[in-house]
Amino acid sequence: MRYPRLLKKGDTIGVCAPSSGVAPYLHGVLEHAVKNVEQLGYKVILTDSVRHDEKMVSADAKTRAKEFMELYMNEKVRAIIPPYGGEFLMDMLPHLDFDELSKLEAKWICGYSDITTLLLPLTLVSDIATVHGSSFMNMGFKNIDPSDLFLYNLLSEDKTIQHSSEKYGEFCNYGDETGETYILDKETLVIPIGGSPEGSFSGRMIGGCMDVLCPLIGTRFADTSAFFEKYKNDGFIWALESCNMNSTQLYRAFWQMRQNGWFLHCKGLLIGRPYGYSQQQDFNLADAFRLAFDGMDIPILFGCDIGHIPPQIQLINGSFATVEFKDNKMKIMQEQI
């Protein structure tokens, strides 16, 4: 696994928008994020298209790919953190030079939601560790929430430990940079699905947002064969979340992944709180889990701090992780080995 150099104070963080750009009404949040991150001791540079958003993208696919490659090839840039996700990042994948990316020094790429469309190919195809975690716009409020601030610990240390949150909730007001980031008012419960109510498991981390992950299956951007073969002795921990998928869509997505062999050598599953979830008739989330994972006999933890419902833990795709769970709480240790 190719891990980027550990981030240190004074390093430069690049911000490009490989999916949606930042609309004018959110420019204040963006500028405040730059200010907050600079106060942490980092330099920040933004590409030209970040402040533009039209037809749900920051620019045409070739321009988005060009801006990403320019940041990746910039020797001063040590990490790239997009403002947030979007819908159509896949359009730029054919314009990326994955052979060149495999030769260049690895850099941290961080984000979630549609950024999965970039993170997963980089890890699967180019063997580059990537981070499913906070977006740059998460840093743009009155105070950076501790869960988002931990991203910089993750990028700066080769071994980290995180615990599940005490409370979860939602953004306060996404367009107000003068306010707090989140309202966290619901008790976090990490629920084991079947099996023992406590235990532990280890493996290589991999995962992301299922809405955009599943369309990659069968394309050259998600060829799992070499990756699975290389790390099969370690096994894998899948971390999955969803955005606006209902119970039937979730079952179909899990089924698709399983039928394509994506759960081979799987040691355990971490499933985030489903954002925008709805039940279809009498088919609910429990039914989706029951049918999707029947006979797998592995630990499955639901309600993890992953994805669109804050707060979220920071996960390194490709890291070796150990998960411990007990009393509806979870601890995860990640090592860059």
Side-chain angles (χ1 to χ4, degrees):
M1 179 56 54
R2 300 176 59 218
Y3 293 101
R5 274 191 280 163
L6 295 178
L7 194 69
K8 63 181 186 300
K9 296 295 178 70
D11 282 344
T12 298
I13 294 172
V15 181
C16 64
S19 188
S20 292
V22 179
Y25 80 97
L26 291 173
H27 284 181
V29 178
L30 176 64
E31 298 307 324
H32 205 251
V34 172
K35 178 182 176 181
N36 283 344
V37 173
E38 287 179 339
Q39 288 180 342
L40 293 177
Y42 303 102
K43 300 173 184 175
V44 179
I45 60 173
L46 279 66
T47 61
D48 292 340
S49 299
V50 170
R51 293 183 178 87
H52 180 72
D53 190 62
E54 185 176 357
K55 301 294 184 182
M56 307 186 81
V57 291
S58 64
D60 63 89
K62 288 184 179 180
T63 299
R64 284 180 276 144
K66 178 175 179 289
E67 290 187 355
F68 174 78
M69 290 298 297
E70 286 175 348
L71 283 183
Y72 208 95
M73 291 186 290
N74 185 334
E75 294 182 358
K76 294 181 180 179
V77 173
R78 303 309 318 158
I80 300 173
I81 310 177
Y84 39 46
E87 300 292 339
F88 306 132
L89 192 150
M90 76 282 183
D91 287 342
M92 81 171 222
L93 293 182
H95 304 290
L96 294 179
D97 189 338
F98 282 92
D99 289 336
E100 181 67 16
L101 288 168
S102 298
K103 297 173 186 175
L104 292 169
E105 182 182 5
K107 297 190 177 183
W108 292 114
I109 315 298
C110 315
Y112 70 107
S113 193
D114 197 24
I115 306 304
T116 292
T117 312
L118 176 61
L119 303 180
L120 203 71
L122 286 172
T123 300
L124 294 178
V125 177
S126 299
D127 212 29
I128 297 170
T130 60
V131 178
H132 182 280
S134 301
S135 297
F136 193 76
M137 292 288 277
N138 289 55
M139 317 294 168
F141 300 90
K142 182 179 179 180
N143 298 297
I144 301 177
D145 188 84
S147 61
D148 299 310
L149 196 59
F150 194 85
L151 173 64
Y152 302 95
N153 295 72
L154 190 84
L155 303 183
S156 305
E157 304 169 15
D158 56 16
K159 181 178 179 179
T160 58
I161 295 175
Q162 296 172 85
H163 296 266
S164 54
S165 64
E166 293 298 321
K167 301 283 187 179
Y168 76 94
E170 59 188 9
F171 279 91
C172 290
N173 182 344
Y174 199 73
D176 179 13
E177 69 274 13
T178 66
E180 296 299 330
T181 317
Y182 307 126
I183 300 172
L184 306 177
D185 56 0
K186 304 175 183 67
E187 183 182 4
T188 298
L189 294 174
V190 177
I191 303 170
I193 300 174
S196 173
E198 62 180 80
S200 65
F201 52 95
S202 300
R204 293 277 167 184
M205 290 300 312
I206 192 70
C209 179
M210 294 173 65
D211 306 54
V212 295
L213 180 156
C214 286
L216 293 174
I217 294 176
T219 72
R220 62 188 172 95
F221 306 110
D223 183 356
T224 61
S225 55
F227 184 81
F228 283 1
E229 179 63 26
K230 183 174 181 179
Y231 299 111
K232 66 181 181 182
N233 291 335
D234 294 330
F236 303 96
I237 298 174
W238 277 96
L240 299 169
E241 55 111 355
S242 62
C243 177
N244 297 321
M245 295 179 75
N246 62 38
S247 54
T248 57
Q249 291 168 328
L250 283 165
Y251 172 47
R252 286 195 293 264
F254 288 132
W255 182 92
Q256 183 185 16
M257 293 178 70
R258 188 170 180 180
Q259 293 302 312
N260 278 274
W262 281 35
F263 294 137
L264 290 174
H265 315 299
C266 183
K267 297 295 188 69
L269 277 159
L270 308 179
I271 301 177
R273 297 176 286 266
Y275 180 82
Y277 166 78
S278 62
Q279 179 175 317
Q280 293 295 98
Q281 298 182 27
D282 63 346
F283 187 88
N284 59 31
L285 196 57
D287 294 319
F289 293 151
R290 174 178 52 82
L291 291 174
F293 306 122
D294 181 47
M296 286 184 61
D297 192 29
I298 58 171
I300 300 172
L301 304 182
F302 172 70
C304 301
D305 296 316
I306 303 169
H308 289 71
I309 299 179
Q312 64 174 314
I313 54 178
Q314 315 290 331
L315 300 172
I316 301 178
N317 288 317
S319 67
F320 187 82
T322 298
V323 174
E324 299 176 3
F325 60 98
K326 181 180 181 181
D327 299 329
N328 297 118
K329 298 298 180 183
M330 184 189 90
K331 179 175 80 172
I332 181 168
M333 179 179 71
Q334 297 178 89
E335 299 179 85
Q336 297 182 32
I337 55 175

